[in-house]
């Protein structure tokens, strides 16, 4: 399967649709020579651009976005910023525990940096650190594996609070879940408002060009960056377009795009909100990788579930899948209508490690943050810029000690393998899905 040059989604982001209209920056700049060009205006790309502009205030940076800020995956996600650390494993730099500690320091730095940006720039994105962020299990197997995972939280000194079925029922308004825990570090955001706020507050030496996909990156410092709206030249290029880097010839056998789907209800009446538990807001992450995410807030319920390989599923099937999951978890609601339903793709690697680094002199890439790239993308973009400017820090050294993504076989083997794995994971997830 040939990867598309840029994502083209069937439906707009529901989060973005809740915001006032925004005019994209789609007029090509007069200047065609920049110090740096960033491909992609998601969390990774905007963070790289912002940091380059801060470190080199007299240099110009161009960010090129295929779509519009607010319509990429950075605005299609569920808005959880979580202290998760995937797949710790021993490597040449130390034990699996060392790896987990590095991953945690990185994601926490990503959350801290976003918190500072939101505060300093008055970004109105419903930043919420008080609503509980639960990880919950609906089956005995998942409960067991969640309890096992508490060890790693304890080891890292992360505080958590366990909940049984009664407490979960009061918080969530459903008897679907039998066990869960709540972490002390938790943030929920309106992701479209966050990414728009980050784009609208870029330093003045950053130019943003939207609705213009990068079609090719050629040369070797200076690089020629080709788009429909013109060609641009830069000494340094940052590839921050996630798995679409493959269509530009980078990391071809390292990532796939997995689409997942989300829906937001209309604003709910008070009695309907009461059926979703006794708090105004909460977030629930599933106990297994292919489970269903839920979130109450802004007087709505968000539900995210379902997966597909490289292509989006038919909209009617997605709507009925999400409705069925909503109905099963909250059988007492009066109505199961959604105001917005949408899909989003994200870069997935086979060993859950993302790529970060200088691929060749002057060309930097960060991609493949899995389904948890809001905080990670932000800190990776920032660190990539620091690396490009020759800065050194303990955090950059942490990041450089993480493994990269492992090899993925070519088509059709990749597709067949991914389909079998997803089917198997769905079957194993049972009620968690
Ligand atoms: C439904 C859903 C729920 C999710 N929930 C969460 C969550 O709760 N928490 C979390 O942390 N993560 C979540 N994620 C994952 C998260 O959204 C991603 O990890 C994150 O967006 C990655 O950021 P990024 O900047 O690296 O890539 P992206 O957000 O994908 O940004 C890349 C940008 O590059 C642009 N682009 C692509 N090709 C080109 C090109 N050729 N030229 C120019 N521009 C191009 C794209 O349009 C896009 O805007 C979720 C994802 C989905 C789809």
């Amino acid at each position: 399967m040939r990867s598309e040059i840029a994502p083209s989604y069937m439906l707009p982001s529901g989060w973005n649709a809740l915001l006032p209209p925004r005019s994209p920056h789609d007029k090509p700049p007069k200047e065609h020579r920049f110090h740096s060009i960033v491909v992609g205006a998601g969390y990774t790309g905007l963070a790289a651009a912002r940091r380059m502009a801060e470190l080199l205030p007299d240099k110009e940076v161009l960010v090129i976005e295929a779509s519009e800020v607010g319509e990429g995956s950075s605005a299609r996600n569920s808005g959880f910023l979580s202290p998760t650390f995937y797949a710790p494993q021993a490597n040449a730099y130390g034990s699996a525990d060392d790896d987990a500690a590095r991953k945690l320091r990185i994601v926490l730095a990503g959350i801290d940096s976003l918190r500072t940006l939101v505060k300093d720039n008055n970004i109105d994105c419903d930043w919420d650190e008080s609503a509980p962020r639960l990880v919950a299990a609906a089956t005995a197997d998942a409960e067991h594996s969640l309890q096992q995972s508490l060890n790693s939280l304890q080891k890292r000194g992360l505080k958590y609070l366990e909940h049984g079925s009664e407490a979960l029922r009061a918080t969530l308004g459903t008897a679907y879940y039998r066990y869960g825990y709540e972490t002390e570090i938790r943030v929920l955001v309106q992701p479209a408002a966050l990414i728009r706020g980050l784009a609208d507050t870029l330093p003045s030496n950053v130019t943003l060009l939207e609705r213009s996909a990068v079609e090719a990156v050629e040369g070797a410092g200076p690089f020629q960056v080709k788009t429909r709206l013109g060609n641009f030249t830069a000494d340094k290029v940052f590839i921050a377009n996630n798995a679409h880097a493959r269509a530009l010839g980078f990391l071809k056998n390292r990532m796939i795009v997995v689409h997942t789907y989300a829906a937001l209800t209309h604003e709910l009446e008070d009695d309907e909100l009461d059926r979703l538990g006794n708090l105004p807001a909460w977030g629930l992450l599933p106990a297994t990788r292919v489970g269903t995410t839920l979130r109450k807030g802004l007087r709505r319920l968000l539900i995210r579930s379902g997966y597909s390989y490289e292509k989006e599923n038919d909209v009617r099937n997605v709507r009925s899948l999400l409705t069925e999951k909503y109905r099963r978890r909250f059988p007492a609601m009066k109505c199961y209508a959604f105001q917005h339903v949408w899909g989003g793709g994200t870069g997935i690697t086979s060993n859950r490690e993302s790529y970060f680094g200088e691929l060749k002199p002057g060309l930097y890439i960060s991609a493949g943050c899995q389904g948890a790239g809001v905080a990670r993308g932000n800190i990776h973009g920032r660190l990539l810029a620091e690396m490009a400017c020759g800065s050194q820090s303990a955090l950059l050294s942490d990041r450089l000690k993480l493994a990269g993504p492992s090899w993925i076989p070519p088509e059709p083997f990749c597709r067949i393998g991914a389909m079998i794995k997803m089917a198997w994971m769905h079957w194993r997830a049972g009620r968690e899905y």
Side-chain angles (χ1 to χ4, degrees), residues 5-7 39-45 64-67 72-74 76-80 212-214 240-242 244 248 260-262 304 344-346 369-375:
I5 200 79
V39 181
Y43 293 106
T44 307
I64 307 178
E65 166 57 45
S67 166
S73 282
S74 286
R76 290 173 176 268
N77 61 69
S78 311
F80 288 68
S212 182
V214 168
N241 61 344
N242 215 342
H244 293 274
L248 298 174
T260 181
Y261 303 92
R304 187 222 44 84
T346 195
C369 275
Q370 324 291 309
V374 176

Side-chain angles (χ1 to χ4, degrees), residues 25-67:
H25 301 262
D26 54 2
K27 302 267 175 307
K30 290 197 185 75
E31 201 50 61
H32 282 240
R33 184 70 168 88
F34 289 83
H35 176 272
S36 311
I37 292 180
V38 177
V39 181
Y43 293 106
T44 307
L46 292 184
R50 181 183 292 273
R51 194 66 182 137
M52 280 308 281
E54 283 169 358
L55 293 171
L56 304 173
D58 55 343
K59 304 281 187 209
E60 293 294 319
V61 181
L62 174 67
V63 181
I64 307 178
E65 166 57 45
S67 166

Side-chain angles (χ1 to χ4, degrees), residues 1-4 6-10 243-244 246-247 252 254-261 307-313 344-348 408-409 411 414-415 418-419 422:
M1 183 173 290
R2 215 165 59 87
S3 73
E4 291 176 325
S8 55
Y9 293 113
M10 288 193 243
H244 293 274
R246 298 171 305 167
K252 276 184 148 177
R254 294 285 181 251
M255 279 180 290
I256 59 168
V257 173
V258 170
H259 288 263
T260 181
Y261 303 92
Y307 295 88
S308 60
Y309 176 76
E310 295 284 349
K311 277 197 339 216
E312 280 190 280
N313 277 341
T346 195
I348 302 290
I408 288 178
E411 297 296 0
C414 180
R415 187 177 63 80
M419 303 298 274
M422 279 197 261

